[in-house]
Amino acid sequence: MSMRSFLALVCCLAVASIACGQEFKSGIEWPEPKVVTPGDKPADPPSDAIVLIGTEDLSAWNGGEKWKFEDGVATAAKGQIKTKQKFGDIQLHMEWASPDEVKGSGQGRGNSGVFLMDTYEIQILDSYDNTTYFDGQAGAVYKQSPPMVNAMKKPGQWNTYDIIFTKPVRNEKADVIAPARITVIHNGVLLQNSYPIRGSTHWHKAPEYDRHKDAESISLQFHGNPVRFRNMWVREIQPIEPTFVPEDSEMVRYRADWSTEPITATPPQESESDKEEAGKKEADQKKAPKKEEAKAEKAKPKKEKMKEEAKPQPKAEEPKQDAKKSDKPE
C-alpha cells in the first residue's frame, strides 16, 4: 500500500469515527456473568439446574412415593406431589404426555396442572380436538388467561413446557405492589407472554393474592388421569446486580418490577426544520384570534354596523386642576 493510500484510509476512518459520535458509558460497574454450561440438547438441564424428575427417582418430591416411576417417567396417581425445595423466581422445563387411550372429554381428559409457589396453576390437559372452556385448556393460566394458541400434540405424544416465572413484589406490609408474571412456551410456541397473574388460581372463586412466603414449593396435580412426566428441571433466577452505581446515574436497576417505578422517556431532539415548523405554528396560533375577529366583523349585517357607527362617542374627560395650585397669578 502506498503512503498516499494509507493516509487516505486513515482520514476516512477518522471521519467515520467523528460521525459515529462519542461512546456512551453509564459509569455502572457490573460483576462478570457466571459461566453456565448448557446441556447437549436444548431440553437437557444446564449445569446450574436442579433436576426434579430425572433418571433415578422422585426423591426431590414430598409424596413422590405415591406416584409410579419407571425408566425416568413419573405417572400421576394418588394425590398431589410437592417439591421439597422451595423456589421464587424460576426458569422451569418439563415434559408431559396425556394418556395414549382417550377417555372422557373436556376437563375429564388428560387433566393435571403445574403449580408455581404452590399457588399459581398452568393447566395441563389433553387439548387436542377436545372442547372445553378456553381459560382451562392446556397452557392457560387457570381461570385467568387462555393460551394465545393451541399447540397441543396428539394424545400420548410428549409435550414440553418452558416457563419463566417471577414472584409478586410486596411492600413492608406484605401488600402486592407488582403482580407475579409468567411466560409459557408450549412445544416451542409462545402461549403466555409475561402475563401479569391476578392472584391465586381457584376453580370456585375469583383470583386474589393470598399471603405466602418469598419461596414455596412447585407442585404437580393428580386430577384422576394418569398423566406422565419426565425430564423436569428448574433454575433459580438471580438478577445480576451492579457493584457500583454513580449517584447521578438514572440507569439504576431494581429487583422490584419496573412497572412500580415511574419511567420518563427522553424527549426527541428537534431538528432545525422541526423548530422552524413549530415557530410557524406558534405564529399562526397568535394570528388566528385576529383573523377570527376580522371574519366576525365582516359577517355583521350593514344595519348593525350603521347603528354602532351612529352611537354617540363618549367625551374625553378634561384634565383636573391641581388643588394645591392657586388659580390666581403670583
Side-chain angles (χ1 to χ4, degrees):
M1 180 185 290
S2 65
M3 180 59 70
R4 182 176 294 177
S5 299
F6 176 76
L7 291 174
L9 178 60
V10 170
C11 289
C12 289
L13 291 174
V15 170
S17 177
I18 293 170
C20 290
Q22 189 174 1
E23 178 189 2
F24 165 74
K25 293 185 178 180
S26 67
I28 299 174
E29 295 178 7
W30 298 97
E32 181 180 1
K34 70 177 184 178
V35 176
V36 172
T37 305
D40 294 333
K41 294 178 289 185
D44 291 344
S47 58
D48 64 343
I50 299 165
V51 176
L52 300 177
I53 299 178
T55 57
E56 296 180 2
D57 52 32
L58 294 177
S59 59
W61 301 81
N62 286 320
E65 68 282 356
K66 298 177 183 178
W67 284 27
K68 179 182 177 182
F69 184 83
E70 187 177 358
D71 297 331
V73 176
T75 303
K78 297 181 182 178
Q80 188 162 303
I81 62 174
K82 301 182 180 184
T83 58
K84 294 176 180 178
Q85 188 168 342
K86 300 180 186 297
F87 304 94
D89 298 351
I90 57 167
Q91 172 189 349
L92 176 67
H93 174 86
M94 58 186 295
E95 300 173 16
W96 59 274
S98 60
D100 296 327
E101 185 180 355
V102 176
K103 290 183 178 180
S105 61
Q107 293 293 301
R109 179 172 149 185
N111 192 326
S112 182
V114 53
F115 287 79
L116 309 173
M117 303 195 86
D118 201 25
T119 303
Y120 313 105
E121 181 186 9
I122 298 300
Q123 176 74 311
I124 291 173
L125 189 80
D126 183 358
S127 291
Y128 187 86
D129 195 20
N130 180 27
T131 303
T132 188
Y133 47 90
F134 303 135
D135 54 5
Q137 70 181 66
V141 179
Y142 188 69
K143 287 287 186 176
Q144 289 189 36
S145 175
M148 290 187 283
V149 295
N150 184 344
M152 188 71 194
K153 291 185 177 181
K154 293 180 179 180
Q157 295 185 0
W158 286 100
N159 294 268
T160 62
Y161 273 173
D162 287 287
I163 297 172
I164 310 298
F165 172 80
T166 55
K167 64 180 180 289
V169 180
R170 300 175 185 268
N171 61 16
E172 298 79 7
K173 298 179 181 178
D175 298 323
V176 173
I177 58 174
R181 287 186 176 271
I182 194 161
T183 296
V184 180
I185 298 173
H186 182 197
N187 295 328
V189 180
L190 183 65
L191 302 190
Q192 305 286 347
N193 186 16
S194 190
Y195 173 76
I197 298 176
R198 309 300 179 188
S200 50
T201 51
H202 299 291
W203 173 76
H204 62 293
K205 64 179 181 176
E208 61 182 353
Y209 271 104
D210 303 322
R211 300 211 170 188
H212 55 65
K213 297 178 181 178
D214 286 339
E216 295 287 358
S217 297
I218 299 170
S219 55
L220 293 176
Q221 183 186 48
F222 174 63
H223 200 275
N225 303 128
V227 179
R228 294 171 293 156
F229 298 88
R230 71 179 185 186
N231 195 20
M232 184 173 180
W233 49 264
V234 62
R235 293 183 63 246
E236 295 182 282
I237 297 175
Q238 297 291 341
I240 190 167
E241 299 290 346
T243 55
F244 172 76
V245 179
E247 290 183 2
D248 60 347
S249 175
E250 296 180 0
M251 293 184 59
V252 181
R253 176 156 60 177
Y254 297 95
R255 292 183 67 86
D257 193 311
W258 274 356
S259 65
T260 66
E261 301 293 334
I263 298 175
T264 305
T266 304
Q269 295 182 351
E270 290 184 337
S271 63
E272 291 300 324
S273 59
D274 291 335
K275 288 179 182 178
E276 289 178 8
E277 188 176 346
K280 288 179 182 178
K281 285 183 179 179
E282 187 176 353
D284 291 340
Q285 287 173 356
K286 288 180 180 178
K287 291 177 182 177
K290 294 181 179 180
K291 289 181 180 180
E292 292 298 326
E293 287 176 10
K295 286 180 182 179
E297 187 67 27
K298 287 181 181 180
K300 284 182 180 180
K302 288 184 179 180
K303 289 182 179 180
E304 191 175 337
K305 287 183 180 179
M306 289 172 67
K307 285 181 182 178
E308 287 180 359
E309 290 172 1
K311 284 181 182 178
Q313 300 296 324
K315 293 180 180 181
E317 292 183 4
E318 295 181 1
K320 295 180 180 179
Q321 293 182 347
D322 193 342
K324 291 182 181 180
K325 290 185 180 180
S326 174
D327 293 336
K328 297 179 181 180
E330 293 180 358

